[in-house]
Amino acid sequence: EKKTMAKPANTRSFGQLQILYVEDNEVNRFLAEQIFMDWDAQLDYAENGKEAIEKLEEKSFDIVLMDIQMPVMDGIEATRWLRKHGNGYATIPIIGFTADVMDGTKTKAINAGMNDVILKPFQREELFAIIQRYTQTTSEA
């Protein structure tokens, strides 16, 4: 009889995906860290848009997950800046997070150049699907 310690089939993995998570709330950063550890992703943090821009200038990332409401420089302002001045990372996928259910916030975020917006608190599956959509090339011909 086999006693393999195989991971359950539904275990998701992002391999070595480099993710920049921009969030000023420490609790939210901690929760995200737990989720991304499960998915094997490489997570880096910034506490506001200004810090996010600095991180992007020194290291390469595959995707940015950015809170929309933050002090110093919010997600919309940071996204606008990145789209305009971002050299090699002007086209990086940026996913916005907001607890604001008003349609106006999402529209504003998309207009600023964000690729997508997720409502907080987000569902793990929804987050996984969105990251996958913007970072994975399909292997099907």
Side-chain angles (χ1 to χ4, degrees), residues 6 14 21 34 47 53-54 62 65-66 80 84 86 93 117 128:
F14 280 126
Y21 184 66
Q34 305 311 302
E47 291 191 30
I53 290 167
E54 288 162 10
D62 298 300
L65 306 176
M66 179 135 34
R80 276 200 193 105
K84 200 169 175 178
V117 177
F128 191 94

Side-chain angles (χ1 to χ4, degrees), residues 37-53:
M37 269 166 42
D38 288 350
W39 293 339
D40 295 331
Q42 308 301 304
L43 200 58
D44 213 326
Y45 300 100
E47 291 191 30
N48 57 60
K50 188 174 176 296
E51 214 177 279
I53 290 167

Side-chain angles (χ1 to χ4, degrees), residues 12-59:
R12 302 290 187 73
S13 172
F14 280 126
Q16 297 301 299
L17 198 67
Q18 299 287 329
I19 298 173
L20 179 59
Y21 184 66
V22 192
E23 164 69 78
D24 59 310
N25 181 303
E26 210 176 319
V27 174
N28 290 348
R29 283 201 305 269
F30 176 77
L31 294 172
E33 194 173 351
Q34 305 311 302
I35 294 173
F36 288 108
M37 269 166 42
D38 288 350
W39 293 339
D40 295 331
Q42 308 301 304
L43 200 58
D44 213 326
Y45 300 100
E47 291 191 30
N48 57 60
K50 188 174 176 296
E51 214 177 279
I53 290 167
E54 288 162 10
K55 292 254 173 150
L56 282 159
E57 287 179 335
E58 64 193 35
K59 187 178 165 193

Side-chain angles (χ1 to χ4, degrees), residues 46-93:
E47 291 191 30
N48 57 60
K50 188 174 176 296
E51 214 177 279
I53 290 167
E54 288 162 10
K55 292 254 173 150
L56 282 159
E57 287 179 335
E58 64 193 35
K59 187 178 165 193
S60 107
F61 291 93
D62 298 300
I63 191 166
V64 179
L65 306 176
M66 179 135 34
D67 191 27
I68 291 176
Q69 288 90 8
M70 291 181 293
V72 186
M73 181 189 262
D74 69 23
I76 299 221
E77 206 182 329
T79 299
R80 276 200 193 105
W81 192 94
L82 290 167
R83 293 304 186 225
K84 200 169 175 178
H85 309 285
N87 303 328
Y89 48 81
T91 57
I92 190 167

Side-chain angles (χ1 to χ4, degrees), residues 79-130:
T79 299
R80 276 200 193 105
W81 192 94
L82 290 167
R83 293 304 186 225
K84 200 169 175 178
H85 309 285
N87 303 328
Y89 48 81
T91 57
I92 190 167
I94 300 175
I95 309 303
F97 287 104
T98 182
D100 182 357
V101 295
M102 301 296 289
D103 273 349
T105 301
K106 182 170 183 172
T107 306
K108 211 160 107 180
I110 299 293
N111 289 344
M114 286 189 175
N115 298 73
D116 224 320
V117 177
I118 299 182
L119 281 178
K120 293 197 288 193
F122 53 80
Q123 303 296 311
R124 287 174 68 120
E125 286 303 304
E126 179 192 16
L127 182 63
F128 191 94
I130 263 186

